[in-house]
């Protein structure tokens, strides 16, 4: 039994080591890529370290790629989207799980169906709608679909968590004279902080590097987000691959840092949302 346990434990450690290497290697490779010259990158030596680290690539990416403009647009759009998703999803999950109405399960089914709609299938209809509304090539044309695609998974997580919260907590508030809104903001919303953090992290990660919608609905250079920054280093006759790598590293750094710092909250929030979901 001891030998079997040792072998099983070794296999688990081996599997985890393989997963660790496969997950971390792309990040390490991107960092080394950003420190190489064009000649080293085009030589085809994918595993070779840079002979002399080219820190100037980061300077070029910051100054020549309009990094702060793209970063500001990404931060603004992502922040507004996260706030809208949290507010709408929290109220929707509360109504679905707490109110006794015959359409509650149907509404939840509609949210679940929203998780299955492919993003690419909505590009043409949304473009026509936004054009008729006069909001094409504005930040609103990104925020609206981002909210629409993020709310279903947020409702799924929050409603699953709310099903584990006992009704007695709300009943005591109602007996003290609290109305529906007071009960929601004073009792339910503080309890939803852990899954709300998970929703914020997942929304941030999905929107920060989104490219398809931004490339379709935004044409103004002043409104473009971080994924468009790499185009600043591509010209008809020359491409600065090192600066592209540096730009990608700087763009991915906030997501990686946020995930590593709050990874436990993501796991706990998803597990809480899966209970009775």
């Amino acid at each position: 039994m001891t030998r079997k346990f040792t072998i099983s434990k070794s296999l688990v450690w081996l599997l985890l080591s393989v997963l660790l290497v496969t997950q971390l290697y792309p990040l390490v490779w991107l960092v080394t890529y950003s420190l190489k010259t064009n000649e080293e990158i085009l030589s085809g030596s994918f595993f070779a370290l840079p002979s002399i680290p080219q820190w100037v690539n980061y300077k070029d990416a910051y100054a020549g790629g309009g990094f702060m403009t793209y970063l500001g647009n990404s931060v603004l759009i992502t922040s507004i989207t996260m706030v809208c998703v949290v507010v709408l999803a929290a109220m929707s999950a509360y109504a679905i799980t707490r109110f006794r109405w015959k359409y509650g399960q149907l509404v939840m089914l509609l949210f679940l169906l929203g998780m299955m709609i492919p993003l690419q299938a909505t590009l043409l209809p949304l473009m026509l709608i936004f054009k008729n509304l006069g909001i094409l090539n504005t930040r609103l044309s990104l925020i609206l679909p981002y909210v629409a695609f993020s709310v279903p998974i947020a409702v799924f997580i929050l409603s699953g968590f709310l099903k584990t919260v006992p009704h007695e907590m709300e009943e005591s508030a109602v007996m003290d004279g609290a109305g529906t809104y007071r009960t929601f903001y004073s009792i339910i919303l503080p309890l939803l902080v852990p899954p709300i953090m998970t929703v914020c992290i997942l929304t941030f990660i999905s929107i920060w590097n989104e490219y398809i919608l931004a490339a379709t609905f935004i044409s103004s250079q002043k409104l473009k987000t971080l994924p468009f920054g790499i185009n600043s280093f591509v010209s008809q006759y020359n491409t600065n691959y090192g600066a592209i790598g540096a730009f990608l590293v700087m763009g991915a750094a906030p997501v990686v840092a946020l995930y590593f710092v709050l990874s436990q909250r993501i796991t706990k929030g998803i597990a809480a949302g899966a209970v009775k979901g």
Side-chain angles (χ1 to χ4, degrees):
M1 292 295 294
T2 304
R3 183 178 180 183
K4 290 182 179 179
F5 177 77
T6 304
I7 295 175
S8 301
K9 189 176 181 180
S10 301
L11 292 175
V12 170
W13 276 107
L14 178 61
L15 177 61
L16 292 176
S17 300
V18 172
L19 292 175
L20 178 65
V21 172
T22 55
Q23 294 298 317
L24 290 182
Y25 172 73
L27 297 177
V28 176
W29 177 85
L30 181 61
V31 172
T32 58
Y33 181 95
S34 67
L35 296 174
K36 293 181 179 181
T37 63
N38 277 2
E39 291 74 14
E40 291 175 326
I41 294 173
L42 296 176
S43 66
S45 301
F46 296 103
F47 301 98
L49 295 176
S51 56
I52 300 177
Q54 301 296 315
W55 298 106
V56 69
N57 290 337
Y58 285 85
K59 180 180 178 180
D60 294 339
Y62 179 84
F67 181 79
M68 294 306 298
T69 300
Y70 296 126
L71 178 64
N73 292 330
S74 293
V75 170
L76 179 62
I77 291 173
T78 303
S79 301
I80 295 175
T81 302
M82 288 169 58
V83 172
C84 294
V85 168
V86 168
V87 173
L88 294 175
M91 292 191 295
S92 300
Y94 180 67
I96 291 172
T97 57
R98 287 319 205 233
F99 294 172
R100 295 181 179 178
W101 52 309
K102 60 180 180 180
Y103 297 112
Q105 295 300 320
L106 177 60
V107 173
M108 186 63 191
L109 178 61
L110 292 177
F111 278 114
L112 294 178
L113 290 176
M115 297 169 57
M116 305 176 188
I117 299 176
L119 184 146
Q120 293 81 2
T122 65
L123 293 179
L124 182 57
L126 286 177
M127 175 172 284
L128 296 176
I129 293 172
F130 292 159
K131 183 178 180 181
N132 293 331
L133 293 176
I135 61 174
L136 194 63
N137 194 31
T138 64
R139 293 188 179 94
L140 190 60
S141 64
L142 289 183
I143 294 173
L144 290 178
Y146 285 165
V147 172
F149 279 102
S150 300
V151 164
I153 183 63
V155 171
F156 177 76
I157 294 174
L158 296 181
S159 61
F161 180 84
L162 280 176
K163 290 178 181 179
T164 65
V165 178
H167 290 264
E168 287 75 10
M169 301 185 66
E170 301 159 67
E171 293 174 355
S172 61
V174 173
M175 293 178 63
D176 291 337
T180 302
Y181 291 101
R182 180 64 180 274
T183 303
F184 174 74
Y185 287 110
S186 300
I187 305 299
I188 299 300
L189 203 56
L191 296 175
L192 286 176
V193 171
I196 283 177
M197 290 295 296
T198 300
V199 169
C200 290
I201 295 168
L202 295 178
T203 303
F204 178 86
I205 293 175
S206 63
I207 292 175
W208 189 257
N209 293 320
E210 198 283 324
Y211 184 84
I212 297 177
L213 292 178
T216 304
F217 301 143
I218 299 295
S219 58
S220 175
Q221 197 71 19
K222 295 182 180 180
L223 299 178
K224 291 183 177 180
T225 52
L226 272 176
F228 288 91
I230 58 176
N231 296 327
S232 304
F233 309 101
V234 180
S235 63
Q236 184 176 2
Y237 301 104
N238 186 33
T239 301
N240 191 342
Y241 294 103
I244 292 176
F247 194 96
L248 292 175
V249 170
M250 292 191 296
V255 179
V256 175
L258 186 68
Y259 183 82
F260 276 106
V261 171
L262 303 176
S263 59
Q264 291 185 351
R265 290 185 177 270
I266 297 177
T267 305
K268 291 180 179 179
I270 292 177
V275 176
K276 296 183 181 181

